[in-house]
Amino acid sequence: MQELHVSLDDAQLSPAAQKLQEPLEAQLSSALQRAAEIVEQDYHGETAAEVADRLLEIAKSSLHPDIAAAFAPNPAELDRAARAVIENVRTGS
């Protein structure tokens, strides 16, 4: 599976969050990547929307509650990640 990466918008971050942007992006990316691996192993024909919901739920469950509460990925990007998981399962990559 391709590496998933979360990028945060500088304009929407507080000054404190801007200072922590790089490690925060790494933590969010890691959580999303791990969620994709879990969903991929347990995929049983769900729709892209269902996979996206699972990705977000699993990723948030591995984050600190304050970070999880603020983690709201772009829906189009989450859908793209979900479709990549589905395609990966279908092609056996």
Side-chain angles (χ1 to χ4, degrees):
M1 161 141 223
Q2 70 181 18
E3 183 78 20
L4 299 176
H5 179 75
V6 175
S7 297
L8 301 173
D9 183 0
D10 290 343
Q12 295 185 352
L13 298 176
S14 70
Q18 287 177 350
K19 291 179 182 177
L20 299 171
Q21 183 173 357
E22 192 173 315
L24 186 55
E25 286 178 348
Q27 183 178 15
L28 294 172
S29 295
S30 177
L32 188 57
Q33 186 70 41
R34 181 69 183 129
E37 292 166 4
I38 292 168
V39 171
E40 191 175 299
Q41 292 173 6
D42 192 38
Y43 179 75
H44 299 290
E46 297 88 351
T47 66
E50 291 169 321
V51 170
D53 288 345
R54 286 190 62 211
L55 287 173
L56 187 56
E57 177 186 336
I58 293 168
K60 283 186 168 193
S61 73
S62 68
L63 297 168
H64 182 280
D66 292 338
I67 295 172
F71 183 41
N74 177 304
E77 293 297 322
L78 194 57
D79 180 69
R80 186 165 52 217
R83 291 179 187 281
V85 167
I86 293 169
E87 183 63 24
N88 206 40
V89 170
R90 289 182 179 159
T91 62
S93 301

